[in-house]
Amino acid sequence: MKKHSHIFASIVKLVGSPYALLLLAPVLFVAFAALFYFEQELNERKQQLYDLRTNAEQILSLDIEATASIRNAAGLASRRYITNYDELIATKSALLAESMMLTNNEAILSTFDELTEARHAIEEIQLEAINLIREKEWEEVVILVTDKSFKRELGLYRAKLSKALRELVFDGEKQAEQTAKMFNIAQISVLSTFLILTIIGFFYSQEMRRSLNHQSTMAANLEDANLNLEQRVQERTKELAQTLSEQEAVLSAIDYGVIFMDADLRTRLINQACMEIWGYDKEYIDSKPTMADLIYKNRYNNIYPVSDENFDAYVVERVKKVQAGTIPPTEVERADGRILRYQNIVLPDGGRMLTYIDVTDTVQAERNLAEKEKHLRAALDNMNGGIIMADSDYKILLLNHQYVELHGFPDDLITVGRSLKDETLYQAKNGEFGPGDPHELAAQAIESWDNSKQMDYERMVHTGRTLRFSGTPMQNGGYTTIVTDITEQKKAATKLQDAFNIISSSIEYSSRIQRSILPDNSILAAVVASHFIIWEPRDVVGGDIYWHGAWGNGCLIILGDCTGHGVPGAFMTLIAIGALERAMSEIDGGEVGKLISRVHQYIQVTLGQHYVGGDSDDGIELGACYFVPEEQEMTFAGARFELFTNKDGILSSVKGTKAGMGYRGIPYTQEYDEQTLEIKPDQQFYMTTDGLVDQVGGERGRMFGKKRFRELLLKISDKPMEEQKEAIYQALLNYQGEKLRRDDIAVIGFRL
């Protein structure tokens, strides 16, 4: 017993010695440094998280707004919708760069790098659309922005961009949460250090008091030593007071509320943040109010969610809970909407430490996220098709009820967490993979799976439905599959194919009729040195037409481009040829301008465009060349048409009148200018419809263009006409590549 008492006395003496304070001094310094560091880091993380969320919303909004500006400009035929397009793209790029600088997550940065090429490709197409808008080529813009491949690439890009931004924000939230945890640990360390210093001070004071009592019994010759000891006690007390002042300063710097209470729940210390949270002033806190007093202080300030008649009972209950002991972190929502994370810690001396952290923004963000997840689930459950998402091990992560219903699966077969292999075995047992052992068939199907590639196929399931499966790999190795019921679509496709066969046979017959009205090329060969004609409708029949033959004392060569292509364009060619033949019977040979004007009038009368109230707004662009073989000059007139001529290696062009023929907006009395050209030996002439120059192709998906056509004509000018024909046609095919043909193609070249 004496041995234990001796050990205890030694411990008390050690704790009450100045060596303990010296030992804790570096610990306190490290704790302060960690506290300040993590406080600054937490504030930076919060700001970064806020910036990330704001940037994510703005990036998606700017992307949608930029696309919408082009679509609106194309749809409404107005350039004013694209005035701020460059600013939108620049802002979006700046926000993307800023957001990427806020993270060091290599996976997320890699995701954004993968999106860069897709974004550049989309912006390049949009810039092309803007150039077409500035040139008022509205039809080309509409074709460009409504292209299915462009819309699909745009949709995939936005989905990937949205996912990447969500991952970026989630990464920011994780970093902020980790920093907050470290900050809380630092705070607890500082408070623990303060508490230890207070305890050491207490024992130190007790030790000093015992020393003074002992010294008072000593002889007078030790009085000077006693005075020195008292002075040391005063200095130490001053140091403790200074330490307490520093503790109060640290508490004031903490951005969450802290209250220290004694065992009677009377306030000993409260920091500035807590006073701001609860609306206390320093004068009131200096009065050392009890916990009940603190609650009553805000009785009528819309703080506590309790009625006035129940307030007294509410206070009693709160006090009892604090007296009962430690309360783990608990979220409390005040009547004014603020949400606090409240915690009660029992101190060694029987007192209490209460902390209040304002988590309103965090909780609200969590609620918003939960609401968005709820909306996503509602969207999945209300979409027309089925969807399923699995990880790299084929474990189901997400699916909707339509997926189960379309396959006719039992409700308990396909659920989150189960393997897709169970689904495959069920399908094999129901004969969806053909005859044979179901387990072997299922194993073969599973072995053929490849999560790294997209897939798109159709299959009939055991319920008799025909389903289309579209699968897309995910970055984490998983796979997403969308299932669509195309049973009715298949039936409709069969009916459509029958109708198509009937229509196709009719169009084939129409093609023979259209070709029958084209002139015999031997007639033109008799009056020119050499020539070629390229005439290739985009469809079976087309809207481009050529004509040549005798007129008056000379020869007339015409190339025209009617409105539209296919069957509508073919009808327009019949109307145009009929109008031409009637006009040639009325107009004297050689008066090309009058001839075109008369054709224009016949087209307008035929289509009812010469009076108010007609429906048609169709017409033709046309170029006409007239020459007498024995004479050295040629007359050209064009309706929105151009004649190219190559003389001595110099390519020039002769432009016609800017008005077309027909069309509602062109006057009935429209006149077309004639231009007379001097013919030189071996001179070459070319006319082309816009089908060739407007054809999209090449690496960048742009139009062939007049510049490329002019360069081609110069390059092949030394070749015979028949070889020039092959060169022009092959150049068109090479440039077009895998792109679809946009329009009919017609080119005439001749040498006089």
Side-chain angles (χ1 to χ4, degrees), residues 277-543:
I277 289 174
W278 295 105
Y280 304 139
D281 55 49
K282 190 175 185 306
E283 181 179 357
Y284 177 73
I285 295 303
D286 290 341
S287 67
K288 305 298 181 183
T290 64
M291 180 178 179
D293 295 334
L294 294 175
I295 299 175
Y296 275 113
K297 180 70 174 175
N298 283 312
R299 180 172 187 169
Y300 303 109
N301 293 335
N302 191 32
I303 296 295
Y304 298 103
V306 61
S307 63
D308 188 61
E309 57 269 21
N310 297 324
F311 199 82
D312 293 334
Y314 174 77
V315 174
V316 172
E317 181 184 357
R318 287 287 303 276
V319 172
K320 285 183 178 180
K321 287 183 177 180
V322 174
Q323 290 174 332
T326 298
I327 300 175
T330 305
E331 290 181 1
V332 177
E333 186 165 357
R334 302 192 331 185
D336 60 0
R338 294 181 71 177
I339 303 173
L340 304 178
R341 183 169 292 147
Y342 159 70
Q343 185 176 8
N344 173 41
I345 300 174
V346 178
L347 301 177
D349 63 352
R352 300 290 188 269
M353 183 180 75
L354 309 180
T355 60
Y356 301 91
I357 303 176
D358 191 337
V359 294
T360 305
D361 293 339
T362 301
V363 173
Q364 191 61 47
E366 292 173 351
R367 291 175 180 176
N368 291 340
L369 179 60
E371 185 66 19
K372 290 180 180 178
E373 290 176 350
K374 179 181 177 182
H375 291 164
L376 174 60
R377 171 49 61 184
L380 291 176
D381 289 340
N382 287 281
M383 64 185 295
N384 291 330
I387 184 171
I388 189 168
M389 185 182 298
D391 62 16
S392 57
D393 296 324
Y394 308 115
K395 296 294 184 182
I396 299 174
L397 302 175
L398 177 147
L399 78 163
N400 61 356
H401 68 87
Q402 292 93 326
Y403 183 86
V404 177
E405 292 176 357
L406 289 174
H407 285 83
F409 293 139
D411 292 338
D412 59 345
L413 176 65
I414 304 299
T415 58
V416 173
R418 294 196 63 170
S419 175
L420 286 177
K421 297 178 181 179
D422 298 334
E423 169 189 332
T424 306
L425 180 58
Y426 180 86
Q427 292 171 326
K429 289 180 178 179
N430 282 277
E432 293 187 20
F433 301 138
D437 180 76
H439 293 278
E440 293 181 0
L441 293 173
Q444 293 173 4
I446 293 170
E447 187 177 353
S448 67
W449 290 349
D450 187 352
N451 284 357
S452 65
K453 298 180 180 179
Q454 290 188 342
M455 59 89 173
D456 194 351
Y457 65 91
E458 299 173 3
R459 191 178 77 239
M460 180 178 290
V461 296
H462 70 278
T463 60
R465 289 174 170 158
T466 301
L467 305 181
R468 173 176 289 135
F469 298 83
S470 300
T472 303
M474 299 187 297
Q475 293 181 350
N476 61 359
Y479 209 74
T480 300
T481 303
I482 297 176
V483 182
T484 308
D485 187 351
I486 60 171
T487 305
E488 296 302 322
Q489 180 181 341
K490 280 289 187 181
K491 294 178 181 178
T494 301
K495 295 180 180 179
L496 183 61
Q497 184 62 44
D498 294 340
F500 176 77
N501 293 336
I502 296 173
I503 295 172
S504 296
S505 61
S506 298
I507 294 176
E508 288 290 346
Y509 188 75
S510 300
S511 174
R512 292 197 295 272
I513 295 175
Q514 185 179 34
R515 291 177 183 275
S516 68
I517 67 173
L518 298 177
D520 186 350
N521 289 343
S522 62
I523 299 176
L524 183 59
V527 295
V528 298
S530 60
H531 76 283
F532 71 81
I533 297 175
I534 300 174
W535 183 79
E536 185 175 272
R538 191 198 75 169
D539 306 310
V540 180
V541 293

Side-chain angles (χ1 to χ4, degrees), residues 98-110:
E98 178 184 339
S99 299
M100 292 174 65
M101 292 176 62
L102 295 178
T103 182
N104 57 2
N105 189 309
E106 294 296 331
I108 294 176
L109 292 174
S110 176

Side-chain angles (χ1 to χ4, degrees), residues 548-609:
H548 54 76
W551 182 43
N553 296 325
C555 179
L556 180 66
I557 302 175
I558 287 178
L559 182 65
D561 185 355
C562 296
T563 304
H565 40 70
V567 174
F571 274 113
M572 277 301 303
T573 62
L574 297 177
I575 293 173
I577 289 297
L580 174 65
E581 291 177 347
R582 292 181 64 184
M584 289 177 64
S585 67
E586 299 177 8
I587 306 300
D588 292 336
E591 296 184 275
V592 184
K594 291 183 179 180
L595 176 69
I596 294 178
S597 179
R598 190 57 177 155
V599 172
H600 159 67
Q601 292 173 355
Y602 274 128
I603 291 175
Q604 283 201 332
V605 171
T606 303
L607 298 177
Q609 298 170 339

Side-chain angles (χ1 to χ4, degrees), residues 573-747:
T573 62
L574 297 177
I575 293 173
I577 289 297
L580 174 65
E581 291 177 347
R582 292 181 64 184
M584 289 177 64
S585 67
E586 299 177 8
I587 306 300
D588 292 336
E591 296 184 275
V592 184
K594 291 183 179 180
L595 176 69
I596 294 178
S597 179
R598 190 57 177 155
V599 172
H600 159 67
Q601 292 173 355
Y602 274 128
I603 291 175
Q604 283 201 332
V605 171
T606 303
L607 298 177
Q609 298 170 339
H610 63 302
Y611 65 90
V612 177
D615 294 330
S616 173
D617 192 22
D618 301 300
I620 183 174
E621 283 77 47
L622 179 146
C625 298
Y626 174 80
F627 61 93
V628 177
E630 296 79 9
E631 299 178 1
Q632 299 302 311
E633 64 179 20
M634 184 175 71
T635 302
F636 170 76
R640 291 185 64 185
F641 224 78
E642 192 172 1
L643 172 68
F644 297 93
T645 175
N646 186 355
K647 181 170 60 177
D648 300 330
I650 299 175
L651 187 71
S652 59
S653 64
V654 182
K655 298 183 181 296
T657 304
K658 292 184 178 181
M661 300 163 60
Y663 302 107
R664 177 164 299 283
I666 299 177
Y668 180 77
T669 57
Q670 175 68 44
E671 296 182 354
Y672 298 88
D673 298 332
E674 294 181 356
Q675 300 187 58
T676 302
L677 289 75
E678 182 181 359
I679 300 175
K680 296 294 185 178
D682 205 36
Q683 188 171 355
Q684 303 170 22
F685 300 92
Y686 306 90
M687 290 189 294
T688 179
T689 61
D690 59 10
L692 188 149
V693 296
D694 289 349
Q695 177 60 46
V696 172
E699 294 181 357
R700 305 179 67 181
R702 296 191 172 182
M703 292 189 293
F704 191 90
K706 288 185 179 180
K707 179 181 178 181
R708 187 175 281 103
F709 180 64
R710 295 169 67 96
E711 292 173 351
L712 177 61
L713 293 180
L714 285 174
K715 183 179 179 181
I716 64 175
S717 61
D718 59 339
K719 298 179 181 294
M721 278 293 173
E722 190 61 32
E723 293 184 15
Q724 289 188 28
K725 173 182 178 179
E726 294 300 323
I728 292 173
Y729 187 70
Q730 191 60 48
L732 171 64
L733 293 181
N734 293 340
Y735 187 79
Q736 177 181 339
E738 299 298 324
K739 299 290 184 181
L740 296 177
R741 181 68 60 83
R742 296 183 63 176
D743 201 354
D744 306 319
I745 303 296
V747 184

Side-chain angles (χ1 to χ4, degrees), residues 229-246:
L229 181 59
E230 289 177 0
Q231 183 178 0
R232 288 181 61 192
V233 171
Q234 291 175 358
E235 291 175 354
R236 190 57 182 165
T237 302
K238 184 178 180 180
E239 290 177 3
L240 291 175
Q242 180 64 29
T243 301
L244 182 59
S245 175
E246 292 174 353

